[in-house]
Amino acid sequence: MTTNDPNINEAKVKPTSSISRIWIIPILVIVIGGWMVYYQWKNQGPLITIEIQSATGIEVNKTPIKVRDLDIGQVKKITLKPDLNGVLVTARIDASAAHLLNENAKFWVVAPRISFSEVSGLNTLLSGSYIAMSANDKGKEQLHFTALERPPVTPHGTPGLHVMLKSDDEFAYKPGDPIIYKGFKVGEFEDATFNIDERVVYYDAFIEAPYHKLITNTTRFWDVSGVKLLLESNGVSVETGSLETLLANGITFGIPEGVPKGEQVLDNAFFTIYGDSTAASDARYKVAAEYLLLIDESVRGLTVGAPVEYRGIEIGNVTAINSFPAVEGNILERDYPIPVLINIYPGKARQPDTKEGLNAIKQTIRNWLQRDLRASLRMGNVLTGGLYVDLQHVPDADSDSEIAVINGYEVIPTVSNEFTQLTQKADAILDKINQLPLKEMVENVQFAVEDMRLAAESVETASSDFDLLIADIDAKALNSNLNQVLVSLDGLLKNYSEGGFNQSEIKETVDALQETMRNIQPLLLKLNQSPNSLIFSKDDEADIQPKARN
């Protein structure tokens, strides 16, 4: 409807805006979120994969990756390896730590570990396991890694010295086993690798500072694991390291007596682990003269490594016993000599440990062999029965200008030792005892014992008869007769004492007896002087003397 009233204003229609102001907030949120996503994408670190044996204790979006206990990443995914030989862990590393991802980086799972050589990771009992990383900003970039089976013994950057060790003996070591010096733990084994072709175990070990300054080119390493009870020719000895080596294997090191200190070695120097200190000390001798002994007696008690002595001084050792074809035949033959190979070291005989010293030793031994040098087996200890080789000069030895040589080895003649000689004498005595007619002697003794038994029985029988005889005597009658005799004797003495007839008769009889003795006294004197005068008459003529024939 249209009106012409001037007081009425007409409405003006304006178009409204198509975008509401309320959308500003969502748009602003989207822009900020996009910027944050871009910033996160722009600044996030790379994804890496880590191969581990088991996912025990590892959780997605929870298990952290740490360097020196600082979080630098987190596990994002866990999957099995295609060959089912372990798991693959995918983790996101912070951009600030991306420069640490190189070929020198090492990863391992930190979890509680308790063993003879270590106790570690106990703090993870409450916080849970995590993946640790060793930091090194040098090397070629790498995003795929294989985790270590156990934490590295020596953290990267620890001051000290890395050495390479080799052992072909029966003892073995594992990572974490100690290296001892004078009772102090100065290092540890880090890794072990067995070479199948060489049949030798190689070890990586680390010596901590400042003890690494003790390692020189003349240093020797040897085993001190557990307790060693050695029954040798020179006696009984007990060797042990420390309390730690009693529970786990371990080694020690030192410089042999008489060897110069030497020069300090560089990193990754190579050394050999010896069985004991003696073997380590003998390793300094580079040259040795080899000789062959042919033993006709028992070698029980003689061992490889037994000393070879000259005048009580050790100058070598036994290197082999019946372990090579030195002579023809076999041990089952009665006259087969047992070959024993020995070494004589010029260095132990105060000669230079050089080729010149070796030639001097050989020439000296050769001269002695042509005269009176002989070898014998002697007992070093009665308790152990261990034998050693003694070189001695035998005055009555058969000298020979020709020295026997078998398979390139000069032969040192042997003589029986005192023990063998005593044994031979004892055998001879036993042989003589065996030749005695012991059977006949025993039979004679048995006969004598039987006769003595019969005699004893006869004595016993006679004693019984005597007892019976004594028992038959009438003791009362005997006493009565004795009383009668005593009464008669008493009457006789009483009559004599009273001067009766019997006394005068007795006096006359005694007087007559005295007169008779006086009369026969000259006769008795004559018979005493000349007993034959009663038979031969007295004749003063001289005896007729026989005369010689004209």
Side-chain angles (χ1 to χ4, degrees), residues 363-376:
Q363 185 60 42
T364 301
I365 297 297
R366 190 174 295 111
N367 294 336
W368 286 353
L369 287 176
Q370 293 175 347
R371 292 183 302 190
D372 55 4
L373 183 67
R374 298 295 182 264
S376 65

Side-chain angles (χ1 to χ4, degrees), residues 155-173:
H156 179 74
T158 303
L161 177 71
H162 289 272
V163 293
M164 298 289 296
L165 303 175
K166 181 189 76 170
S167 171
D168 57 356
D169 214 326
E170 298 299 327
F171 44 80
Y173 311 94

Side-chain angles (χ1 to χ4, degrees), residues 370-416:
Q370 293 175 347
R371 292 183 302 190
D372 55 4
L373 183 67
R374 298 295 182 264
S376 65
L377 299 182
R378 293 182 179 271
M379 183 176 295
N381 187 274
V382 178
L383 177 63
T384 63
L387 302 179
Y388 69 94
V389 177
D390 183 41
L391 300 181
Q392 55 185 316
H393 296 281
V394 179
D396 299 332
D398 296 333
S399 60
D400 191 356
S401 59
E402 293 293 333
I403 300 176
V405 178
I406 298 178
N407 289 345
Y409 299 104
E410 294 184 355
V411 179
I412 299 180
T414 60
V415 294
S416 299

Side-chain angles (χ1 to χ4, degrees), residues 111-375:
R113 295 177 182 271
I114 300 176
S115 64
F116 287 121
S117 58
E118 66 169 349
V119 176
S120 63
L122 297 182
N123 59 328
T124 60
L125 291 174
L126 299 177
S127 62
S129 301
Y130 64 90
I131 298 177
M133 172 185 175
S134 63
N136 190 338
D137 57 356
K138 296 180 181 180
K140 185 179 179 181
E141 184 181 3
Q142 183 175 325
L143 299 178
H144 186 86
F145 303 91
T146 300
L148 302 176
E149 295 184 1
R150 62 183 309 278
V153 176
T154 306
H156 179 74
T158 303
L161 177 71
H162 289 272
V163 293
M164 298 289 296
L165 303 175
K166 181 189 76 170
S167 171
D168 57 356
D169 214 326
E170 298 299 327
F171 44 80
Y173 311 94
K174 61 181 181 298
D177 284 346
I179 299 176
I180 307 296
Y181 182 75
K182 296 187 181 301
F184 291 93
K185 180 180 178 181
V186 300
E188 289 181 327
F189 285 86
E190 292 185 322
D191 195 12
T193 304
F194 181 72
N195 190 309
I196 297 179
D197 296 332
E198 299 180 7
R199 298 185 179 182
V200 172
V201 183
Y202 292 92
Y203 300 96
D204 295 328
F206 183 77
I207 309 296
E208 300 175 359
Y211 303 103
H212 70 287
K213 297 179 181 179
L214 300 171
I215 309 301
T216 66
N217 56 358
T218 58
T219 300
R220 298 291 182 268
F221 291 81
W222 64 89
D223 178 69
V224 289
S225 303
V227 178
K228 295 181 179 179
L229 179 63
L230 304 178
L231 302 177
E232 300 176 334
S233 59
N234 54 0
V236 180
S237 61
V238 179
E239 294 183 359
T240 182
S242 63
L243 179 61
E244 195 169 2
T245 59
L246 291 176
L247 303 177
N249 292 336
I251 64 172
T252 188
F253 60 88
I255 298 176
E257 184 178 358
V259 177
K261 182 178 179 181
E263 299 178 356
Q264 192 170 350
V265 299
L266 301 177
D267 215 26
N268 294 322
F270 186 82
F271 296 92
T272 299
I273 303 176
Y274 297 95
D276 50 38
S277 58
T278 302
S281 178
D282 290 345
R284 57 179 163 166
Y285 303 114
K286 305 300 180 183
V287 295
E290 296 181 310
Y291 293 95
L292 180 65
L293 309 179
L294 300 178
I295 308 299
D296 293 328
E297 55 198 50
S298 174
V299 295
R300 181 178 179 84
L302 184 67
T303 59
V304 174
V308 175
E309 296 184 0
Y310 173 72
R311 298 175 62 186
I313 303 298
E314 182 178 342
I315 61 174
N317 56 21
V318 176
T319 59
I321 301 175
N322 196 38
S323 62
F324 56 95
V327 295
E328 297 181 357
N330 59 77
I331 197 172
L332 299 179
E333 297 179 1
R334 186 171 184 178
D335 57 349
Y336 173 78
I338 300 176
V340 175
L341 190 64
I342 66 173
N343 277 354
I344 298 179
Y345 299 101
K348 289 189 175 184
R350 291 198 171 185
Q351 293 289 335
D353 191 28
T354 60
K355 186 176 181 181
E356 291 74 15
L358 179 63
N359 293 333
I361 285 292
K362 289 184 176 180
Q363 185 60 42
T364 301
I365 297 297
R366 190 174 295 111
N367 294 336
W368 286 353
L369 287 176
Q370 293 175 347
R371 292 183 302 190
D372 55 4
L373 183 67
R374 298 295 182 264

